[in-house]
Amino acid sequence: MIERTLIHPLIEIIQTYGKMGFVSGPRQVGKTTLAQAYRKRFGQSLYFNWDLIPDQKKLLENPYFFENENRNPQQSFLVVLDEIHKYARWKNYLKGAYDHSKDEFRFLITGSGRLDLFKKGGDSLLGRYMSVPLFPLSVGEIQGRLNPWKAFKEGIQNLSPLLKETEEIYDQLFHFSGFPEPFVRSTSRFYQMWFQERKSLLLREDIRDATRIREISLLEMLSHLLPERVGSPLSINQLKQDIKISFETVRDWITILENFFYLFKITPFTGSLKRSLRKEPKIYLYDWVEVPQEGYQFENVVALHLFKAVELWKATGEGNISLHYLRDKEKREVDFVIAEKNRPICLIECKTSDGPLSPSLLYFQKQMSIDVAIQIVHQKGIFKKTRENGELQWIVSAHHLLSLLP
């Protein structure tokens, strides 16, 4: 079993700060496995799942049912509440349970929706919880790394060639996704069966049950069109025409798909760059294997690694870090820019094979005075360091850079 590195931030949130730990992420990304692994570390605990009828009855009959557990009152007791956000009054319940029992009990809350964005419920939980996302596996996580932001900034200044093992991890991820079960099994046949079931359950159970969407077949049509839009600015008008529904409906459905971890967005950088083009966000999928073209699938792999790292760094207090793409009115474009306090730190351009540095990459690096620019390639065996205009550039195979990310 692959130990998820998110356990370490959870220990800090729950045991050091005494807050409720909220863990949300895509369906079948390993939230329950993470919770069970944390229970073993914690000691005395119980696991509750709202999807189980006996557990629902237990809570409705006695909201503080966990107090009846056989336990050592001299030690903290961990209560894991899985999918509790499906309970109509879940926010009020958690507020009451935490305020009533926080001195003796610790709480871990997991769910397949964005727990901090869910609109069901009543009073705010502000100040009572800290939220961290659980994303699909990445090269660094499989290696057991939880590299902080500072280590990444230092690492891109002096990349080093890596072992064959890291390259093999990347290949396995690329072909079978970062979801634990298909990754571990690593067969195309299993992935296809797993993929069909997961997507159907996501759309026809999770989203249908939590929203008022009646035209699930049209939502499914939208989900079939989106993989072909990966890596390009999202045109809601085009999707509206393709599906024959209103602009507002497409916009709202995109947000729902984002909230249920089917896709994520990367916005254009809108800093001090002259002639920058403020356009629509780009979308990427949590399951990159669904993307049909190899070049865009590769870009999606890199996007999720970067997005996962930035979201974790922000959630764990590393700083005001953000991920964007660059595009100007002359249509020069760079796939990704990582910024700190809206100041660009690193440019990253994706290419499927080795070749000269992208002119756009060099142009933006010079215009924005960015110390490091990286051209990351899907092709194996590439590791080059160059300097132009007194600034540093790398051309490297994917695993060399992705291994620096948590």
Side-chain angles (χ1 to χ4, degrees), residues 229-241:
R229 268 69 170 184
V230 158
S232 301
L234 183 65
S235 172
I236 293 181
N237 280 320
Q238 184 61 56
L239 290 168
K240 175 191 74 171
Q241 294 170 12

Side-chain angles (χ1 to χ4, degrees), residues 191-397:
Y191 169 81
Q192 291 299 329
M193 292 188 293
W194 171 89
F195 163 74
Q196 296 295 338
E197 180 187 27
R198 176 184 174 275
K199 190 167 182 180
S200 177
L201 291 173
L202 173 66
L203 298 174
R204 293 191 166 271
E205 288 191 16
D206 293 354
I207 292 179
R208 181 200 62 196
D209 293 347
T211 67
R212 297 179 180 179
I213 296 177
R214 296 179 180 178
E215 305 90 346
I216 289 295
S217 61
L218 293 179
L219 180 64
E220 285 182 319
M221 185 183 299
L222 175 63
S223 76
H224 295 329
L225 294 174
L226 289 174
E228 298 176 356
R229 268 69 170 184
V230 158
S232 301
L234 183 65
S235 172
I236 293 181
N237 280 320
Q238 184 61 56
L239 290 168
K240 175 191 74 171
Q241 294 170 12
D242 291 343
I243 309 176
K244 305 296 188 295
I245 55 179
S246 71
F247 179 96
E248 291 76 17
T249 299
V250 175
R251 181 198 60 201
D252 293 346
W253 286 2
I254 292 288
T255 300
I256 288 170
L257 290 170
E258 182 181 16
N259 288 344
F260 279 87
F261 296 95
Y262 175 71
L263 61 86
F264 60 96
K265 298 174 184 173
I266 293 180
T267 58
F269 183 74
T270 57
S272 59
L273 180 67
K274 294 180 180 179
R275 299 185 63 77
S276 63
L277 191 62
R278 288 167 171 78
K279 287 182 68 72
E280 301 90 346
K282 292 184 178 182
I283 63 156
Y284 297 92
L285 307 185
Y286 285 92
D287 180 9
W288 55 69
V289 182
E290 191 179 352
V291 180
Q293 297 181 17
E294 182 182 71
Y296 289 115
Q297 183 182 344
F298 171 58
E299 185 178 329
N300 200 140
V301 172
V302 177
L304 185 49
H305 274 74
L306 295 171
F307 183 72
K308 173 181 178 177
V310 166
E311 292 300 302
L312 282 172
W313 287 329
K314 289 192 294 186
T316 55
E318 295 279 343
N320 182 11
I321 307 155
S322 56
L323 177 66
H324 308 277
Y325 74 91
L326 277 173
R327 184 181 174 94
D328 65 13
K329 293 179 180 178
E330 284 72 35
K331 298 186 178 180
R332 288 179 290 246
E333 185 171 332
V334 170
D335 293 323
F336 306 108
V337 54
I338 303 177
E340 183 177 26
K341 296 180 180 178
N342 210 37
R343 183 175 71 87
I345 301 297
C346 175
L347 294 176
I348 299 170
E349 175 71 7
C350 298
K351 298 289 185 183
T352 53
S353 59
D354 188 20
L357 283 162
S358 161
S360 295
L361 188 69
L362 293 172
Y363 170 81
F364 282 121
Q365 184 182 24
K366 182 179 179 180
Q367 289 294 114
M368 303 171 75
S369 300
I370 300 175
D371 291 339
V372 183
I374 303 171
Q375 191 156 292
I376 181 173
V377 296
H378 182 50
Q379 182 180 340
K380 298 178 182 179
I382 308 300
F383 190 86
K384 302 175 185 178
K385 179 180 181 180
T386 66
R387 284 192 179 274
E388 291 196 25
N389 304 315
E391 292 156 334
L392 174 64
Q393 302 90 31
W394 296 95
I395 305 176
V396 295
S397 296

Side-chain angles (χ1 to χ4, degrees), residues 4-20:
R4 307 306 297 266
T5 52
L6 198 64
I7 280 183
H8 304 292
L10 281 177
I11 291 172
E12 186 175 40
I13 290 169
I14 295 173
Q15 295 172 232
T16 303
Y17 300 143
K19 303 287 187 179
M20 289 187 285

